[in-house]
Amino acid sequence: IRFIWSSRQAAVRAGEVTGTQWDPFYFYTNSFAFGLNNSPVAESTFIGGGENHRGTFTWGGYNNLTGWGSMIGGGERNDTIGGGSLWSFIGGGRNNQINELGGGGNSVNIYIGGAESNTANGRYLTILGGNTNGINVPSILMAKYITIGGGSNNVITGSGPIGSEPAYASVI
């Protein structure tokens, strides 16, 4: 168990590691990590406990990964994957994913709250609970304002040329 403060980088680490996660090469400016084997992945990041996290803002849980400007508030094996999954939130649950599509920050402003095995790809999407719900919009511009309010195996998909993606859809 260790406590490390780097005044040169304004970085703090406290807890335990079993590998190289806290070697000086991995200290980013203004980064903070508590817990077991947690690794901030950029400047101005925060991991407040838990185990085996890699990310920009994670609080508690186990094996959670966060993308830039995104947050995971606990849970297990939740991911905001890739540098293009921006400003998104997973609030607990397990096996939930917010995936980057097409690069360039195409999955943004997505919320998954306390659910299991849900996947969201696109912009301005919400999944509020439930199990194995999916929102998958493969076009470049993505969907807007889509909500799944719970349930199981609900799916909203989109396809076709740019401009034909679903918008304002809801499953409650």
Side-chain angles (χ1 to χ4, degrees):
I1 297 176
R2 306 191 277 179
F3 178 85
I4 302 171
W5 159 251
S6 171
S7 60
R8 184 171 50 112
Q9 294 164 306
V12 175
R13 304 290 185 272
E16 183 177 355
V17 293
T18 59
T20 61
Q21 296 93 332
W22 294 358
D23 285 359
F25 179 78
Y26 298 106
F27 268 62
Y28 295 95
T29 303
N30 302 316
S31 64
F32 177 91
F34 276 3
L36 175 63
N37 292 327
N38 292 324
S39 303
V41 296
E43 293 182 356
S44 303
T45 60
F46 176 87
I47 299 175
E51 183 177 343
N52 296 322
H53 300 301
R54 287 181 35 84
T56 58
F57 193 99
T58 305
W59 187 269
Y62 179 77
N63 281 344
N64 293 311
L65 307 171
T66 56
W68 183 255
S70 296
M71 177 186 172
I72 296 177
E76 179 179 357
R77 293 187 304 268
N78 295 307
D79 301 332
T80 59
I81 298 171
S85 296
L86 305 173
W87 314 306
S88 297
F89 176 80
I90 297 176
R94 72 184 259 213
N95 296 325
N96 297 300
Q97 291 188 347
I98 298 172
N99 297 319
E100 174 184 11
L101 288 177
N106 286 323
S107 287
V108 298
N109 300 324
I110 297 174
Y111 175 89
I112 297 176
E116 183 172 358
S117 301
N118 295 295
T119 302
N121 309 307
R123 295 176 183 242
Y124 318 113
L125 312 175
T126 304
I127 297 176
L128 299 170
N131 186 316
T132 56
N133 298 305
I135 300 173
N136 182 13
V137 183
S139 69
I140 298 300
L141 290 181
M142 309 295 169
K144 294 184 179 181
Y145 318 115
I146 293 179
T147 299
I148 294 177
S152 181
N153 301 309
N154 300 309
V155 176
I156 298 172
T157 62
S159 62
I162 295 174
S164 68
E165 59 276 322
Y168 314 109
S170 294
V171 175
I172 304 293

